[in-house]
Amino acid sequence: MKSHSGSFYKFVSVHTFLIGLFPFYLPVFLWKLDYSISEISYFIALAGIGYFLALWTWERIHRFVSLKKIFLLSLLLELALLSIIFASEKQAFFPVLALLYGAYNCFFWITNRVLFIEGVTPENSGKNFGNFQIVVAVILKIGVFSGGLLLDKFNYPTLFIVSILVVLLGALLFAINNTNLMQVSQSLLQAQTIGMVNLLKFKDEFRSKFIFIVDGLFLFLESFFWVISLFIIVQESYWQLGILVIILMAIFGLMFYFIKNAIDKLPVTSVYRVSVALYVSSWIIRGLLSEDLDRPLIFVMLILITFFTSMFRLAFNKRFFDLAKATTTFQYIFLKSYYSQFFIVIWFGILGLVLSKVDSPEQALSYTYFASSVIALGYFLYRPSEEIATSKLIQETVNGTA
């Protein structure tokens, strides 16, 4: 288990820094290329297709390749993503970039979750996820700082060269690692591949399917729409966006440091319900946020949004990983991604059509945030494992016997 922990943090560290260098800025990079909020919604929908197809591939190739090769393949996908930016004038640029972005996201997040789940229990999942988030926040700060500086003060080719060096160093780090930790665990190898029939029949007593459908929407609202909102607030400066995000992440890390050690000991249901209420409030505050407000008020609102979102993500991921451990572990993780990504295509396809009718991008974002605060109420339906006497139904459904 210790060896897998080493693999996990090496993998996460390399990719988190690379994400901070450019993929973090991808939403605002598209914005600077004059893509509208509606078009960026379509980009997210295409990325969902790329993720879905990549997940189908990941589920099958991990059975006959080592984690080392999966790590290296994820770096190649990052390299392809960075390279396609040079073709931004080409007609195929937009869909190809979206599909590559989805595939890269899949190989990062699925590998990340698979490694993480093997080292947690319901007694330490909150603390371990908190530790993970602190490590990610620190490394992401360095990457975001570097990426913002390179994009604002230099140019994309310079950032590309730096990213290539990091990819090469990451590949070397994994290539020279010859220990057994680079092999897929037996429990993962024995996990049943999820077929279309299993996917369609899936349901459980935790209301997981509904939550999976909803959560995909919010993951991209946070990582794309919200980043664009921040970019507008800082007058469309990469450098200032990076500094603002670093300040917010510093606050985020401080909060996690105090919360992570306590969350596993607090009443799970109460903490989760409070965190959902705070998360709903965060989307209302986002809808009220405007660059015309006084700067001190904007900063207070950003701190509240950061705290409410951080608290929710910690409580939500604890519940998710606890349920994964209590049920089918890896299959539960894959099911979430399949449902989230499929409905990301639907959510953002519809959103693209609706927002194409709104003239002001600020209004489009504000309307989306207010609507999202209502949809976020759905997170209250996610039931914890201790409320269910048995997890037999989920096991039967995944195995296709229900």
Side-chain angles (χ1 to χ4, degrees):
M1 196 63 66
K2 185 177 180 181
S3 62
H4 274 282
S5 177
S7 290
F8 172 67
Y9 279 104
K10 286 176 185 176
F11 176 79
V12 167
S13 298
V14 171
H15 279 289
T16 299
F17 182 73
L18 285 168
I19 288 169
L21 277 178
F22 183 71
F24 169 82
Y25 289 102
L26 185 56
V28 295
F29 187 83
L30 292 171
W31 180 258
K32 292 282 275 187
L33 290 176
D34 292 327
Y35 287 103
S36 67
I37 295 294
S38 174
E39 289 170 322
I40 290 173
S41 296
Y42 293 136
F43 178 91
I44 295 169
L46 286 170
I49 295 173
Y51 194 116
F52 192 96
L53 295 175
L55 177 56
W56 186 91
T57 303
W58 197 104
E59 246 204 303
R60 284 149 182 82
I61 67 170
H62 82 267
R63 298 179 182 279
F64 55 86
V65 301
S66 66
L67 280 176
K68 181 193 297 185
K69 291 180 180 177
I70 289 177
F71 290 174
L72 294 174
L73 181 55
S74 68
L75 290 173
L76 287 176
L77 286 170
E78 166 76 7
L79 183 58
L81 179 68
L82 293 167
S83 300
I84 200 67
I85 297 298
F86 290 106
S88 60
E89 301 296 325
K90 303 294 183 181
Q91 191 171 4
F93 163 74
F94 189 81
V96 172
L97 178 66
L99 292 171
L100 280 173
Y101 180 75
Y104 172 70
N105 260 354
C106 173
F107 271 76
F108 171 63
W109 285 108
I110 290 298
T111 308
N112 174 342
R113 289 168 185 155
V114 162
L115 288 172
F116 179 81
I117 194 69
E118 294 204 68
V120 299
T121 65
E123 289 72 35
N124 66 15
S125 56
K127 179 178 179 179
N128 280 6
F129 188 78
N131 288 336
F132 160 67
Q133 288 289 57
I134 290 172
V135 170
V136 166
V138 171
I139 298 172
L140 192 61
K141 280 181 201 173
I142 301 171
V144 166
F145 177 85
S146 304
L149 177 65
L150 291 169
L151 286 170
D152 242 12
K153 308 300 181 182
F154 296 92
N155 50 33
Y156 181 75
T158 305
L159 183 146
F160 179 76
I161 292 170
V162 173
S163 298
I164 291 297
L165 292 174
V166 177
V167 167
L168 291 174
L169 287 172
L172 182 63
L173 175 67
F174 297 130
I176 62 176
N177 193 332
N178 294 315
T179 62
N180 291 330
L181 64 86
M182 305 305 284
Q183 299 299 318
V184 176
S185 68
Q186 284 300 310
S187 55
L188 178 57
L189 287 173
Q190 292 166 4
Q192 181 181 335
T193 301
I194 297 173
M196 188 57 68
V197 173
N198 306 125
L199 197 59
L200 293 173
K201 285 185 175 181
F202 168 68
K203 67 176 182 176
D204 64 12
E205 296 171 285
F206 312 112
R207 305 189 185 105
S208 298
K209 182 192 289 188
F210 175 79
I211 298 301
F212 296 168
I213 291 170
V214 167
D215 194 50
L217 169 68
F218 285 95
L219 290 174
F220 271 102
L221 288 178
E222 290 177 25
S223 62
F224 266 68
F225 280 31
W226 179 233
V227 171
I228 292 172
S229 291
L230 294 177
F231 194 56
I232 293 171
I233 288 172
V234 298
Q235 309 300 314
E236 301 195 1
S237 165
Y238 290 113
W239 172 246
Q240 291 185 43
L241 174 63
I243 294 298
L244 176 61
V245 169
I246 286 169
I247 292 171
L248 293 175
M249 282 194 292
I251 297 169
F252 165 92
L254 185 63
M255 292 172 183
F256 259 70
Y257 179 79
F258 290 106
I259 295 172
K260 70 181 179 66
N261 292 325
I263 192 168
D264 294 312
K265 302 170 186 174
L266 295 173
V268 175
T269 300
S270 298
V271 169
Y272 181 77
R273 287 172 179 167
V274 169
S275 74
V276 172
L278 294 177
Y279 192 56
V280 171
S281 302
S282 78
W283 290 103
I284 297 174
I285 298 172
R286 283 177 171 95
L288 296 171
L289 193 63
S290 167
E291 58 182 324
D292 297 327
L293 297 173
D294 293 336
R295 290 290 158 177
L297 178 58
I298 289 176
F299 190 65
V300 170
M301 293 171 78
L302 292 178
I303 290 175
L304 289 176
I305 291 167
T306 301
F307 173 70
F308 293 169
T309 304
S310 302
M311 182 67 185
F312 169 74
R313 282 295 157 196
L314 181 58
F316 175 79
N317 280 287
K318 173 176 171 55
R319 177 156 297 187
F320 171 73
F321 285 113
D322 286 351
L323 286 174
K325 276 288 191 180
T327 55
T328 57
T329 309
F330 301 112
Q331 291 166 304
Y332 193 77
I333 292 173
F334 298 150
L335 283 164
K336 180 186 187 301
S337 290
Y338 275 123
Y339 272 98
S340 293
Q341 298 304 317
F342 178 79
F343 280 92
I344 278 171
V345 179
I346 296 175
W347 281 117
F348 285 95
I350 295 172
L351 198 56
L353 288 172
V354 172
L355 296 182
S356 66
K357 310 298 182 183
V358 182
D359 295 328
S360 166
E362 288 81 5
Q363 278 189 333
L365 290 167
S366 182
Y367 294 159
T368 302
Y369 296 154
F370 283 130
S372 299
S373 69
V374 177
I375 298 172
L377 293 169
Y379 281 109
F380 279 115
L381 299 177
Y382 203 16
R383 300 177 70 186
S385 57
E386 55 265 29
E387 287 186 5
I388 309 298
T390 176
S391 61
K392 180 181 178 182
L393 181 58
I394 185 174
Q395 186 70 56
E396 289 180 343
T397 304
V398 171
N399 288 338
T401 59

